[in-house]
Amino acid sequence: MQPHPMSAPGSQRVCALCGGGEAVRLFHKAGRTFVRCTGCGLVALRPAPTAAELAGHHEASYRQGRYAVFAAADAIRTAIARHRLTEVRPLVPAGPWLDVGCSTGALVAELTRNGVAAEGLELSSAAVAEARARGLVVHEGAVERFAPSRRYAVVSAFDLIEHLLDPVGFARRVRSWLLPDGVFVLTLPNTASVAARLMGKQWYYHAPPDHVHGFAPATIRRLLETTGWSGVSVRTAWKPLSADYVVEQLRHSNPALAPIARATTAIVPRPWRARPWPLPLGEMLVIARAAGR
């Protein structure tokens, strides 16, 4: 594979992480090309979607698409929220919590039930409306335009940073949202995981145009350390999903694999297919503190 220019309009000709202008072409999928920066290893989608395209796609997906499946799966959303809270809460300080990219507010609801002053931030108006109908405090808008009225002990961004056109700017912005001893918590796909290496192009997290960037442990650590974070911890994350949910998601995100998954799970008893099980999907849990605080 030969390096080639990161061909995208305007400022997206260069790597979002290191500013490099050359990348190795990995593969083509759904009309776009995945490339890896030769300077830092960040995986990127080319041509990158515009902010307007991303917002429109995100909203449409919540109304009829892969995120609509997630929004409708109450048991799955609750299981994921509880699992993440169990993992993360012993590692973070007490105090107000902001969940960025909160979807319909499953984690905000779980935090609130546990006595945490929790708020959410979400781009999709459909998801925000559902969260607010449940009595949750959820702000609508993009991370680039959010101006909180308070500071937080914890800011979480679960399954979010891979969607952003400017992940570096986001990481810098979050620092100003935190209290002096605050903590930033992320989950995101790991392009160096066993699942990613085995599945290659068919890995479910290679999902254009939703996922604009792909990180390995080294690249997410570099992003955080160069934007003022310290004590960065990276570990494997598991996600509780049911077999029925996985099949339905694959129908939207990877139709080629959906029939295989459906046939495989058909032999599993129905109660087991509906039960969420922690799965190693190739994700990372990352925790960082603002340097110098």
Side-chain angles (χ1 to χ4, degrees), residues 6-290:
M6 282 189 153
S7 54
S11 64
Q12 304 220 354
R13 292 181 184 276
V14 298
C15 174
L17 178 53
C18 73
E22 288 192 337
V24 172
R25 187 186 302 271
L26 299 177
F27 51 82
H28 195 71
K29 186 175 182 180
R32 298 182 191 264
T33 301
F34 286 82
V35 301
R36 178 180 288 115
C37 174
T38 58
C40 69
L42 182 70
V43 173
L45 192 62
R46 294 293 181 262
T50 65
E53 287 172 337
L54 275 179
H57 176 80
H58 193 69
E59 189 65 41
S61 292
Y62 263 109
R63 296 185 183 278
Q64 187 176 6
R66 61 185 298 182
Y67 295 124
V69 176
F70 176 72
D74 289 335
I76 296 298
R77 289 187 290 110
T78 300
I80 293 171
R82 288 177 177 169
H83 178 78
R84 285 176 171 163
L85 189 54
T86 299
E87 277 193 306
V88 170
R89 198 168 183 190
L91 306 174
V92 301
W97 188 312
L98 175 69
D99 186 34
V100 185
C102 69
S103 182
T104 53
L107 182 64
V108 177
E110 196 63 27
L111 286 162
T112 302
R113 279 193 290 270
N114 281 269
V116 179
E119 303 172 18
L121 174 64
E122 172 57 44
L123 182 63
S124 166
S125 61
V128 170
E130 182 172 337
R132 289 176 176 171
R134 299 163 62 198
L136 303 175
V137 179
V138 173
H139 310 279
E140 180 182 344
V143 296
E144 295 83 2
R145 295 189 295 274
F146 181 59
S149 59
R150 67 190 302 180
R151 292 198 175 190
Y152 305 94
V154 183
V155 171
S156 57
F158 294 139
D159 307 326
L160 173 73
I161 199 166
E162 64 272 18
H163 295 263
L164 301 181
L165 292 169
D166 183 15
V168 172
F170 172 62
R172 288 198 181 103
R173 193 171 293 111
V174 169
R175 291 189 66 208
S176 68
W177 300 348
L178 283 169
L179 292 165
D181 60 346
V183 171
F184 188 23
V185 185
L186 308 91
T187 58
L188 63 156
N190 178 3
T191 59
S193 65
V194 172
R197 294 197 302 269
L198 288 177
M199 297 184 71
K201 176 181 177 178
Q202 300 304 325
W203 190 40
Y204 21 77
Y205 290 127
H206 290 317
D210 296 278
H211 292 182
V212 181
H213 292 105
F215 296 87
T219 46
I220 190 62
R221 187 182 296 278
R222 176 171 177 168
L223 184 149
L224 292 171
E225 290 176 348
T226 57
T227 52
W229 298 91
S230 64
V232 179
S233 166
V234 181
R235 63 185 72 182
T236 299
W238 293 52
K239 181 176 283 183
L241 300 176
S242 70
D244 286 341
Y245 176 83
V246 170
V247 170
E248 183 62 18
Q249 276 287 6
L250 286 174
R251 188 170 70 83
H252 290 276
S253 64
N254 202 326
L257 289 180
I260 300 171
R262 188 178 297 110
T264 302
T265 58
I267 62 174
V268 178
R270 182 174 293 277
W272 285 29
R273 293 205 309 267
R275 177 180 172 181
W277 300 87
L279 301 176
L281 302 177
E283 296 188 354
M284 299 178 279
L285 170 65
V286 183
I287 299 177
R289 297 181 182 273

